[in-house]
Amino acid sequence: MQRYFLNTAYGTTTPQSYEVSGEPFHHMVHVMRMEVGTQVYLVFSDGVSVEARIGQINSDSVVLELGNREQVHRELPINVTIASGFPKGDKLEWIVQKGTELGANQFLAFPAKTSIVKWDQKKRQKKQERLQKIAQEAAEQSHRQSCPRVVLLENQSQLLTQMQTADQVLIAYEESAKKGEHAQLVETFKKMRPGQQLLVIFGPEGGFLPEEIAQFLSAGALCCGLGPRILRTETAPLYVLGAASYHYELCQAEPTSVD
Amino acid sequence: MQRYFLNTAYGTTTPQSYEVSGEPFHHMVHVMRMEVGTQVYLVFSDGVSVEARIGQINSDSVVLELGNREQVHRELPINVTIASGFPKGDKLEWIVQKGTELGANQFLAFPAKTSIVKWDQKKRQKKQERLQKIAQEAAEQSHRQSCPRVVLLENQSQLLTQMQTADQVLIAYEESAKKGEHAQLVETFKKMRPGQQLLVIFGPEGGFLPEEIAQFLSAGALCCGLGPRILRTETAPLYVLGAASYHYELCQAEPTSVD
């Protein structure tokens, strides 16, 4: 069943109907050629997801009758932010697409010292809008109940500022993997409480310079390994998100499962 | 440090030197422009990975002095086979590339009932060779100690035959995810012993038809969910591999970590 993310909140008044115009209207009527009676999900900005039936189609809007709230909870219990040093090519596009399917709450990207691409303010703005659209399409397709936010940062000090708002910060560090570090990601997952934010930092293809690692560490980040194999910059974030889902959504429901 | 997969076994005789020609010779001398003294890893067909130093460069071969065995173990304790219904476009290419980084032992692909692509024997052969090359490059880059095998099957009965050789078979089934099934993957990981084979079946974009699921079930497969979000055909295998690494390589080292 098609789902649409809305900019307005569902609130506490349990509305009986809702009128959409603009982009979702266009997609329902002109792209999907939906007719009166078609069922969709409307996802409101406060994360409420509601079954809705098209009741009336106007020339520039659609009126939907709102039904029951979606019962299944589809979001990770913690908010995972993926922070990637600007990678080459279209890797950021698919980190955002796959990471959204896997439950990421937010994507940050920043110019790391070894990042090859240089994006000025205009280019960053354009790319951010494109990535936000990719995130929304992936969120709709994967039945998310919230759409991840995508922000392209201008410099690393903006990343350090973002780190201050996170409850836990990890660095996916190749050297930790090489040294066989294995406990940190598990320990961090165990420490975290529902609704808290985990920010995980990933380097670009060239990795991080020692001074970058030192700066992150002094800002409170911890290094973690992601298993004994060396993962590419676009693969490591998917490992962390898959592990988070396995830990919280598959194992937690079975408390003794990894004894 | 560059690594090269060889077709010969290291064996029990602990050889002091090894001469390479053909493709690895070409890559060392003409692509990487390596000189005498350069250190590399040689990975033999029996999974032994050895530090080696270029001792002599000839016109069509390189003689390497063999050193210590690689200490870190980089392979998953169970053998995970990813079996994908033929997907569209280049999705199989990157299932193989990312899945190799994440530790898959084997990739099978087969024509599912909703698969749109139709590949004749010649096309399958060509594609299989290309995918095998992608797997080898990814295995070298991710520091694997064995290179996954890629096999494109002609029909589903060949898949059923392959299922007989596996110790456990799972179907990543969208309906299971929608119903909130969460325990099966964890239970299966817990059941498995080192060296056993887990075969996981993934549908193409259109998913599986009920009769396909019925056929897999009657052949002993079990359905499993991969969390509450709907994953694309190219994303689901990465979830399973990331979860396997988290379970066996990160958590097992910490037996009480997911209590």
Side-chain angles (χ1 to χ4, degrees), chain B residues 71-114:
Chain B
Q71 292 309 311
V72 186
H73 183 72
R74 302 190 184 277
E75 296 296 319
L76 281 168
I78 65 166
N79 297 323
V80 181
T81 294
I82 301 297
S84 302
F86 290 159
K88 288 188 282 184
D90 60 359
K91 286 174 182 169
L92 210 47
E93 277 73 355
W94 85 252
I95 289 170
V96 168
Q97 185 189 64
K98 305 305 171 210
T100 298
E101 290 173 59
L102 290 164
N105 173 263
Q106 183 178 230
F107 297 93
L108 305 175
F110 61 94
K113 295 241 173 7
T114 66

Side-chain angles (χ1 to χ4, degrees), chain A residues 158-167 169 199 201 216 219-221:
Chain A
Q158 291 183 345
L159 175 64
L160 293 170
T161 308
Q162 290 279 339
M163 284 169 62
Q164 303 314 315
T165 69
D167 297 286
V169 180
L199 189 154
I201 307 172
F216 296 144

Side-chain angles (χ1 to χ4, degrees), chain A residues 32-82:
Chain A
M32 303 295 286
R33 305 210 178 288
M34 292 178 178
E35 295 169 350
V36 169
T38 305
Q39 297 270 354
V40 300
Y41 277 115
L42 296 183
V43 185
F44 292 84
S45 60
D46 47 4
V48 177
S49 170
V50 177
E51 292 174 12
R53 177 185 173 283
I54 294 181
Q56 188 186 317
I57 300 177
N58 307 321
S59 60
D60 60 357
S61 76
V62 164
V63 180
L64 298 111
E65 301 150 4
L66 302 188
N68 300 326
R69 287 183 174 217
E70 187 174 24
Q71 291 311 311
V72 186
H73 183 72
R74 301 188 185 278
E75 296 297 319
L76 280 168
I78 64 166
N79 297 323
V80 182
T81 293
I82 302 297

Side-chain angles (χ1 to χ4, degrees), chain B residues 45-66:
Chain B
S45 59
D46 46 3
V48 177
S49 170
V50 178
E51 291 175 13
R53 177 185 172 281
I54 294 181
Q56 188 186 317
I57 299 175
N58 307 322
S59 59
D60 60 359
S61 77
V62 164
V63 180
L64 298 111
E65 302 149 6
L66 303 187

Side-chain angles (χ1 to χ4, degrees), chain A residues 72-76 94 97-98 100-104 134 137-138 141-144 177-178 180-183 185-187 189-190 225-236 238-239 241-247 249-259, chain B residues 72-76 94 97-98 100-104 134 137-138 141-144 177-178 180-183 185-187 189-190 225-236 238-239 241-247 249-259:
Chain A
V72 186
H73 183 72
R74 301 188 185 278
E75 296 297 319
L76 280 168
W94 85 254
Q97 185 189 64
K98 305 306 172 209
T100 297
E101 290 174 59
L102 290 165
I134 289 171
E137 287 166 0
Q141 180 164 20
S142 58
H143 296 200
R144 292 284 304 269
K178 286 180 182 163
E181 194 291 314
H182 56 70
L185 185 63
V186 180
E187 287 308 312
F189 283 161
K190 284 170 62 184
L226 303 176
R229 292 163 298 280
I230 304 306
L231 304 178
R232 292 177 198 231
T233 182
E234 70 273 25
T235 312
L238 310 190
Y239 181 106
L241 291 163
S245 172
Y246 183 76
H247 179 99
E249 297 176 324
L250 302 196
C251 292
Q252 289 306 74
E254 289 267 297
T256 62
S257 54
V258 189
D259 273 359
Chain B
V72 186
H73 183 72
R74 302 190 184 277
E75 296 296 319
L76 281 168
W94 85 252
Q97 185 189 64
K98 305 305 171 210
T100 298
E101 290 173 59
L102 290 164
I134 288 172
E137 287 167 359
Q141 180 166 19
S142 57
H143 297 200
R144 292 285 304 269
K178 286 181 182 164
E181 193 291 313
H182 55 70
L185 185 63
V186 180
E187 288 307 313
F189 283 161
K190 283 168 63 185
L226 304 177
R229 291 163 297 281
I230 304 305
L231 304 177
R232 290 176 199 231
T233 182
E234 71 271 26
T235 312
L238 309 190
Y239 180 107
L241 290 163
S245 172
Y246 183 76
H247 179 99
E249 297 176 325
L250 301 196
C251 292
Q252 287 308 74
E254 289 266 297
T256 62
S257 52
V258 188
D259 274 4

